[in-house]
Amino acid sequence: MTVITGDALSLLRDLQDSQVVDLCMSVLRELFQEQDVPDPVRFFVTHWSRDPWSRMSYSFVKTGGSGEAYDIIAEDVQGKLFFAGEATNRHFPQTVTGAYLSGVREASKIAAL
């Protein structure tokens, strides 16, 4: 898996999926010149930047930040309102895994009521 961000995003935004994969593979092959880097068996390119509902949104810790905001955002409100999502998981931010685990975490809190 790779996440393409920053200035590189504008370079890839309008490419076809196969072109994005080819470019990523060329970077990998440059990084691992001593090894045989095989072509992927399958691939999936999300194009979040073109999705009108997400516009490539995800949480991040700014330079110099502690990540404490993830914990603060995850705090429930009077045991009645609970928050889940990748932005509430300090250990797995910016991932589907983080979103899923935060949902399990909050479901456990609710079940314990």
Side-chain angles (χ1 to χ4, degrees), residues 96-110:
V96 171
T97 301
Y100 171 78
L101 291 175
S102 70
V104 170
R105 179 195 65 221
E106 297 308 307
S108 296
K109 289 179 185 177
I110 293 166

Side-chain angles (χ1 to χ4, degrees), residues 7-74:
D7 294 338
L9 181 61
S10 62
L11 299 172
L12 304 176
R13 183 176 293 135
D14 297 322
L15 296 181
Q16 298 297 316
D17 290 1
S18 60
Q19 293 173 301
V20 172
V21 171
D22 289 344
L23 189 55
C24 289
M25 294 307 298
S26 69
V27 170
L28 280 174
R29 289 181 177 123
E30 180 67 26
L31 289 171
F32 299 99
Q33 293 178 18
E34 319 76 45
Q35 299 176 25
D36 179 32
V37 179
D39 288 328
V41 174
R42 289 188 302 259
F43 59 84
F44 178 74
V45 180
T46 59
H47 296 289
W48 278 21
S49 65
R50 296 191 308 213
D51 182 328
W53 301 108
S54 68
R55 303 305 274 172
M56 197 169 172
S57 59
Y58 56 86
S59 65
F60 68 96
V61 178
K62 71 178 187 172
T63 302
S66 70
E68 183 182 11
Y70 288 98
D71 300 332
I72 293 168
I73 292 170

Side-chain angles (χ1 to χ4, degrees), residues 75-92:
E75 291 176 1
D76 65 79
V77 176
Q78 299 177 352
K80 295 179 181 178
L81 182 60
F82 299 85
F83 299 96
E86 59 82 22
T88 69
N89 190 317
R90 175 194 288 235
H91 302 289
F92 298 97

